[in-house]
């Protein structure tokens, strides 16, 4: 949020961090990968859900936030049998019951080329699903990748200089 509010050279700045996920009830857990993402992740990418919706501002306003998840088409098929009434159901992720609010389209795999993700959680859930995580309060913790779309009025050199200056601060 700080970078999005400060950097003037970019539109649609998003952040994401890969997270190992343990999905399913105790005794039959499956290890998958997901992303902890910024509140505007899907909207900035212009992605539409296959089913349900994506995050709302009130769900991602503070650490701990709403216990919600967007799941992949593949996870929807394998864990919820592709049921049209999957929205509102819960799925156990890292020992926490999260409410499914959306399902991505089959072709959407995330923002890391060559990897396929099965769930997208608001970054505000990091302290909940990554027990002991201080990444939302400790500015020294790194790990999120940031992707932005360069504004038409900005040059790459200008953007790089701006990013370097802000990161030094």
């Amino acid at each position: 949020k700080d970078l999005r509010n400060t950097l003037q050279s970019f539109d649609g700045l998003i952040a994401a961090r890969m997270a190992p996920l343990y999905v399913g009830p105790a005794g039959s857990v499956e290890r998958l990968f997901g992303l902890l993402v910024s509140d505007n992740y899907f909207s900035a990418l212009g992605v539409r859900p296959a089913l349900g919706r994506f995050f709302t501002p009130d769900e991602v306003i503070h650490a701990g936030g709403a216990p919600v998840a967007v799941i992949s088409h593949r996870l929807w098929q394998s864990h919820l049998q592709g049921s049209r009434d999957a929205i509102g159901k819960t799925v156990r992720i890292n020992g926490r019951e999260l409410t499914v609010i959306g399902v991505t389209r089959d072709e959407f795999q995330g923002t890391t080329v060559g990897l396929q993700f099965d769930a997208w959680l608001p970054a505000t859930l990091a302290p909940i699903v990554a027990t002991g995580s201080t990444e939302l309060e400790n500015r020294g913790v790194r790990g999120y990748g940031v992707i932005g779309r360069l504004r038409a009025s900005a040059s790459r050199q200008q953007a790089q200089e701006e990013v370097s200056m802000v990161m030094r601060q």
Side-chain angles (χ1 to χ4, degrees), residues 17-36:
R17 174 174 81 84
M18 190 166 49
L21 303 177
Y22 300 91
V23 179
S28 63
V29 174
E30 181 180 2
R31 185 170 189 223
L32 303 172
F33 285 95
L35 288 175
L36 291 164

Side-chain angles (χ1 to χ4, degrees), residues 12-147:
L13 204 63
I14 62 171
R17 174 174 81 84
M18 190 166 49
L21 303 177
Y22 300 91
V23 179
S28 63
V29 174
E30 181 180 2
R31 185 170 189 223
L32 303 172
F33 285 95
L35 288 175
L36 291 164
V37 299
S38 58
D39 57 344
N40 66 330
Y41 180 83
F42 293 105
S43 61
L45 292 172
V47 175
R48 297 208 177 275
L51 190 65
R53 62 177 177 79
F54 296 136
F55 312 121
T56 60
D58 61 314
E59 290 170 331
V60 296
I61 199 159
H62 58 78
V68 295
V70 172
I71 62 171
S72 68
H73 188 273
R74 182 175 73 169
L75 187 64
W76 176 52
Q77 293 294 315
S78 65
H79 285 256
L80 297 169
Q81 292 70 49
S83 172
R84 303 285 303 162
D85 67 348
I87 302 304
K89 300 254 191 241
T90 60
V91 62
R92 190 170 183 84
I93 297 178
N94 290 12
R96 307 290 183 163
E97 295 293 329
L98 303 181
T99 302
V100 175
I101 60 166
V103 176
T104 61
R105 296 181 184 276
D106 190 27
E107 63 274 7
F108 184 74
Q109 296 179 1
T111 46
T112 305
V113 176
L115 297 178
Q116 184 167 342
F117 297 100
D118 283 299
W120 292 263
L121 312 178
T124 51
L125 286 184
I128 304 298
V129 297
T131 306
S133 169
T134 61
E135 63 196 58
L136 299 179
E137 295 85 33
N138 182 347
R139 291 177 181 272
V141 174
R142 302 282 192 257
Y144 282 84
V146 177
I147 300 171

